[in-house]
Amino acid sequence: MKYTYYPGCSVSATANLYQESIDSVLPGLGIELEELDDWNCCGATAYMSVRELLSFAISARNLALAEKYHRDMVTPCSACYLVLNKTNRYCEEYPDIRKKVGQALEAGGLNYSGNIKVRHLLDVVVNDVEKEKIAGTVKKDLSALKVAPYYGCQIVRPEIGLDDPDDPQIMDELIRSVGATCVDYSMKTKCCGASLMGTDEKKALHLCKEILADAERNEAHCIITVCPLCQMNLDIYQSKVNSLFGTKFRIPVIYFTQLIGLAQGKSMKELGLGRLGVKISGEMKKIIEGA
Amino acid sequence: MLEKEVVYEATLDHDFLDEIYSLPGGKEVKRCIQCGTCSGSCPQGAVMDHAPRKIFSLIRAGFRNEVLGSNTIWFCSSCYSCAVRCPKEIKITDVMYALKRLAIKEGKVTEGRKSAVLSRNFIKMVNKYGRNHETELMTRYIIEADLLNAFNFAPVGLKLFSNGRLPILPHKMKNVDQLRKIIRKVDEMEGI
């Protein structure tokens, strides 16, 4: 199965560990990604806060470029997933926006006819690859590993269709497919604070604390995530949560692709796990090494 | 405190209502039934000047300054919980974006100043490289918005850097010119 790949800006920087695990794990699942040539930033939430039409126009450049590949476009980043889908939806719903975006693209010698379906990598891994196939690649018994799936916001909202916006299950299923134990907890789709972490840190740390506390209360060894910003907030800022609230969290927050790789017996290094802020240690390390 | 306690139809700031209603998805604001599902769903509702339900009430009563000057619009982290639950299908998060843009345009950003600086610098990155360069963005943001607090960012920066997650050089796109042509065209259409 071949897809056009829209990596987004984060996977070559703060989320490079995500990309390393993607490169390591996807070929074994029969997923082939061809990078969209010369893609640009989707605009994220920041662009939308200052210029709406411009946000849609730069985002649409990527969709226009993707049309020559005649395939679904896949992104590993929840924000890119949301913004690119939102561009599609607004161009479809509002003729005035479609017209102006079209004129802007024309100035760059491009045209977009509206036919690119944008999907999140999690969707492709769970819905396009047979469960048995994923299970067939598993080499380690991770049944003792308790994993809390953290969906965050932007893959289940506002686009509804991938899964339930409040109690999604697709990552839960994936955890079971690789033989680990899925932790059910109530914070799985609550916000991590996103970019508020940079602008109003205490409020965002508070939101992260609630998520980490709920995962710990339910005895999770680790949290898995699908979004570079969620991963950074929960991982890199975990020590700040601890110093602000006097908590003692030491919960590794890894990407879902890294969990698949661990189950396949790949090395920590190959999966980029050495780059975590909160390293894999203690009981989780024992389970992985003993499996 | 609100600037006025009671506003009657004849004295409403209709310009503000019209501006909001004319936005894509804006006219749905008329349908709000003040049920409060949005405020109850908002992870930041408790710390906002006015939780979303009240913002919609204030918009419809024409309280321009109260709405645009509130911290509410800047504490919205785009989690879309309200938007997917709204029984009247109001695109609440998108209305918040629209309010952010209006607040910036009218110079009414107060408590949300840092968010506005972050957004503006993000756009600079994209216009320059075509992609976001997280390291430069963080540096520019700290210098412009939060220099006194720079020591607070240091441990985070160090942790990212020591784990090889903060590259010094940007990943540029090739055809930045094409992107800039698109940007210029939008500027032209919007008279900027």
Side-chain angles (χ1 to χ4, degrees):
Chain A
M1 290 170 291
K2 200 168 175 181
Y3 305 86
T4 306
Y5 185 52
Y6 180 84
C9 305
S10 296
V11 296
S12 53
T14 53
N16 52 7
L17 61 168
Y18 197 2
Q19 188 60 52
E20 285 162 357
S21 65
I22 289 168
D23 292 339
S24 164
V25 164
L26 292 198
L29 300 178
I31 297 174
E32 194 186 335
L33 302 176
E34 183 181 357
E35 186 168 327
L36 178 70
D37 185 40
D38 208 31
W39 54 272
N40 60 269
C41 169
C42 72
T45 52
Y47 239 94
M48 190 59 72
S49 307
V50 186
R51 305 273 304 273
E52 184 184 52
L53 182 61
L54 190 52
S55 163
F56 290 134
I58 65 161
S59 169
R61 177 180 174 273
N62 297 304
L63 297 166
L65 291 176
E67 280 192 316
K68 70 168 183 253
Y69 298 80
H70 306 289
R71 289 190 292 258
D72 286 357
M73 186 153 79
V74 176
T75 176
C77 170
S78 299
C80 300
Y81 169 75
L82 183 149
V83 172
L84 293 163
N85 268 306
K86 189 170 171 177
T87 304
N88 261 338
R89 187 159 42 83
Y90 267 69
C91 286
E92 200 182 301
E93 279 179 29
Y94 301 102
D96 186 49
I97 292 178
R98 181 168 63 236
K99 190 175 142 214
K100 286 177 178 160
V101 166
Q103 288 169 347
L105 289 176
E106 210 182 300
L110 292 170
N111 170 53
Y112 178 50
S113 52
N115 291 320
I116 292 297
K117 192 172 175 198
V118 181
R119 302 175 64 190
H120 193 281
L121 184 62
L122 177 70
D123 173 21
V124 167
V125 169
V126 175
N127 292 318
D128 292 8
V129 183
E130 287 163 12
K131 265 189 205 137
E132 298 73 29
K133 181 160 188 172
I134 298 178
T137 66
V138 171
K139 290 194 184 124
K140 285 201 168 191
D141 175 12
L142 295 184
S143 54
L145 187 70
K146 294 177 189 162
V147 182
Y150 178 62
Y151 294 80
C153 307
Q154 304 194 325
I155 58 163
V156 285
R157 300 181 297 267
E159 307 297 331
I160 302 179
L162 181 56
D163 210 333
D164 186 272
D166 291 308
D167 187 19
Q169 293 294 325
I170 57 169
M171 213 166 8
D172 298 45
E173 275 172 37
L174 180 71
I175 292 168
R176 290 188 277 267
S177 298
V178 299
T181 300
C182 180
V183 169
D184 190 22
Y185 71 125
S186 61
M187 299 298 285
K188 65 182 180 181
T189 60
K190 295 290 185 272
C191 182
C192 71
S195 64
L196 281 178
M197 192 61 92
T199 58
D200 203 332
E201 191 178 276
K202 276 187 188 158
K203 289 193 182 64
L205 289 174
H206 194 274
L207 296 177
C208 285
K209 183 199 77 176
E210 296 298 320
I211 295 161
L212 293 165
D214 196 27
E216 189 173 82
R217 202 161 35 238
N218 288 284
E219 299 174 343
H221 292 115
C222 68
I223 291 173
I224 60 168
T225 175
V226 294
C227 169
L229 194 49
C230 298
Q231 199 282 336
M232 184 163 81
N233 284 355
L234 291 168
D235 172 38
I236 296 291
Y237 282 87
Q238 201 173 122
S239 54
K240 284 205 164 194
V241 170
N242 287 336
S243 33
L244 184 63
F245 298 102
T247 47
K248 288 181 179 152
F249 301 123
R250 280 207 59 78
I251 309 173
V253 181
I254 69 176
Y255 289 100
F256 77 102
T257 40
Q258 291 176 314
L259 176 71
I260 299 173
L262 283 174
Q264 293 174 334
K266 294 184 190 292
S267 72
M268 298 260 190
K269 187 168 189 297
E270 195 180 344
L271 297 168
L273 287 162
R275 299 185 189 278
L276 292 174
V278 179
K279 308 285 184 213
I280 292 175
S281 63
E283 207 176 333
M284 180 173 178
K285 198 170 179 199
K286 267 187 230 158
I287 292 169
I288 292 166
E289 284 172 353
Chain B
M1 288 305 288
L2 297 182
E3 58 195 15
K4 296 175 233 176
E5 283 181 344
V6 180
V7 175
Y8 293 97
E9 187 67 28
T11 55
L12 281 181
D13 178 352
H14 282 280
D15 290 348
F16 187 45
L17 273 71
D18 290 344
E19 272 173 71
I20 302 294
Y21 293 162
S22 68
L23 299 163
K27 66 176 187 305
E28 280 82 355
V29 172
K30 290 182 186 178
R31 301 199 297 224
C32 172
I33 53 171
Q34 291 287 297
C35 69
T37 304
C38 48
S39 297
S41 308
C42 182
Q44 300 284 37
V47 292
M48 285 171 167
D49 289 336
H50 314 292
R53 179 196 63 79
K54 204 165 157 195
I55 284 287
F56 288 110
S57 184
L58 288 166
I59 289 174
R60 295 197 302 195
F63 284 83
R64 177 190 289 268
N65 293 336
E66 193 68 36
V67 171
L68 297 183
S70 72
N71 65 17
T72 304
I73 53 184
W74 300 102
F75 286 177
C76 170
S77 57
S78 308
C79 81
Y80 293 86
S81 295
C82 55
V84 298
R85 289 178 182 174
C86 175
K88 303 303 276 185
E89 296 177 3
I90 300 170
K91 293 185 170 103
I92 302 173
T93 312
D94 296 340
V95 173
M96 293 295 167
Y97 278 124
L99 296 173
K100 285 176 193 174
R101 294 192 296 270
L102 270 180
I104 292 175
K105 200 169 134 193
E106 297 186 13
K108 297 212 167 83
V109 184
T110 51
E111 211 175 328
R113 193 184 70 88
K114 290 182 187 174
S115 295
V117 172
L118 184 70
S119 296
R120 246 193 301 110
N121 278 295
F122 188 95
I123 289 178
K124 270 188 206 159
M125 290 298 93
V126 178
N127 291 358
K128 192 167 162 191
Y129 303 120
R131 295 176 187 173
N132 182 23
H133 179 29
E134 291 172 320
T135 315
E136 188 176 332
L137 175 66
M138 281 171 94
T139 313
R140 280 173 176 270
Y141 166 75
I142 292 167
I143 291 171
E144 191 178 338
D146 224 0
L147 193 55
L148 292 173
N149 203 19
F151 70 92
N152 185 43
F153 286 92
V156 168
L158 269 176
K159 195 171 277 184
L160 287 169
F161 188 75
S162 63
N163 286 303
R165 294 169 64 169
L166 212 54
I168 305 295
L169 296 173
H171 283 255
K172 297 177 198 174
M173 60 183 288
K174 291 177 279 182
N175 198 353
V176 187
D177 277 352
Q178 185 187 48
L179 182 68
R180 288 186 187 141
K181 277 180 194 160
I182 293 170
I183 293 172
R184 261 202 305 277
K185 180 70 186 175
V186 177
D187 286 348
E188 197 184 292
M189 283 190 277
E190 295 188 329
I192 291 170

